[in-house]
Amino acid sequence: MPRKVYCRDPIPVERPTRMEVRDALDQLDRIHDQLTRGEVYRGFRVPTVAMVGAVGLLAAAGQRWAVPNGDARAFVWYWSVIGAAGALLGSGAAVRAYLFREDDFERRRTRRVMGQFLPCVLAGALLTIALARTDGFVPLLPGMWAVVFGLGVVSVRPHLPRAVGLIGLTYVLTGGILLAWLPPEPSGWCVGGVFGAGHLATALALRSTKEHHDD
């Protein structure tokens, strides 16, 4: 006798709505953001940061031969070139890692760090253009550079070792002292000495964190 087969109604499967998919994606974005903030950004390499500091100290020592006494325009051009060279040297490793080694998650973290730091670079460039038009305002530049750069360092402190935040505050305080002091002819050590020592201290902070991570 043939066996009767009864067909049951298919169990309905609920498909996620667009709102639910959007909420899930937003949740993933928040998780990625928390992970990005929780890890130390390693795009800034210790050797390159230390090398930038050494270049700053050497440039401070060599200003007496490269910039004539009292030539404010030559002072601005000299340190603008040194600053651009230091920026290319310091960011070269991060750019190379972004293009060839990092995955999507790491690239997202790099974009976040650079997006927080680049406004201070743009502000420093605009202030340089504005103040360099009048020779009497050139003595303001070393202090302004230190303050603006220090604010940029503080803005990316959540992605770097805690000691970097103190270094950023030191930049700001040193810049304030330079603005209050206002030497008639800014010395090379007001720029190269400040940024050289700051970059060397940053390299030490990054190195100590890297060794702790490796251990």
Side-chain angles (χ1 to χ4, degrees):
M1 182 177 180
R3 185 177 180 181
K4 294 182 179 181
V5 178
Y6 297 94
C7 296
R8 297 181 178 179
D9 293 335
I11 299 175
V13 178
E14 295 183 0
R15 295 183 178 181
T17 63
R18 291 184 178 179
M19 184 65 68
E20 291 174 341
V21 173
R22 187 177 304 169
D23 292 340
L25 293 176
D26 291 340
Q27 184 68 21
L28 287 175
D29 289 339
R30 286 193 290 270
I31 293 173
H32 284 174
D33 290 341
Q34 291 295 331
L35 292 175
T36 299
R37 296 190 185 101
E39 293 188 5
V40 174
Y41 176 66
R42 302 189 181 279
F44 300 118
R45 304 297 180 182
V46 173
T48 54
V49 174
M51 191 177 300
V52 172
V55 169
L57 295 177
L58 291 175
Q63 177 182 313
R64 65 176 66 182
W65 295 287
V67 178
N69 291 330
D71 194 337
R73 300 296 175 88
F75 175 86
V76 174
W77 277 109
Y78 178 75
W79 285 109
S80 296
V81 172
I82 297 298
L88 292 175
L89 180 62
S91 62
V95 173
R96 184 168 60 251
Y98 180 87
L99 294 176
F100 301 109
R101 292 199 302 269
E102 294 181 348
D103 56 20
D104 292 339
F105 177 76
E106 291 173 334
R107 287 179 177 177
R108 181 173 184 172
R109 180 172 52 190
T110 299
R111 289 194 298 269
R112 179 184 294 275
V113 173
M114 295 302 175
Q116 292 177 346
F117 186 74
L118 287 179
C120 84
V121 178
L122 178 60
L126 294 176
L127 286 171
T128 301
I129 295 173
L131 297 180
R133 294 180 178 179
T134 304
D135 292 349
F137 289 153
V138 170
L140 292 170
L141 285 175
M144 293 297 298
W145 286 336
V147 170
V148 173
F149 188 82
L151 293 176
V153 173
V154 172
S155 69
V156 297
R157 194 220 63 81
H159 307 282
L160 296 174
R162 292 183 178 180
V164 175
L166 295 177
I167 296 172
L169 290 177
T170 303
Y171 273 114
V172 175
L173 293 176
T174 304
I177 293 173
L178 291 175
L179 289 173
W181 179 31
L182 279 181
E185 292 185 6
S187 168
W189 295 105
C190 294
V191 185
V194 173
F195 283 88
H199 277 76
L200 291 178
T202 303
L204 289 175
L206 294 174
R207 184 174 183 271
S208 62
T209 303
K210 182 178 184 300
E211 289 178 349
H212 176 72
H213 177 76
D214 292 342
D215 293 341

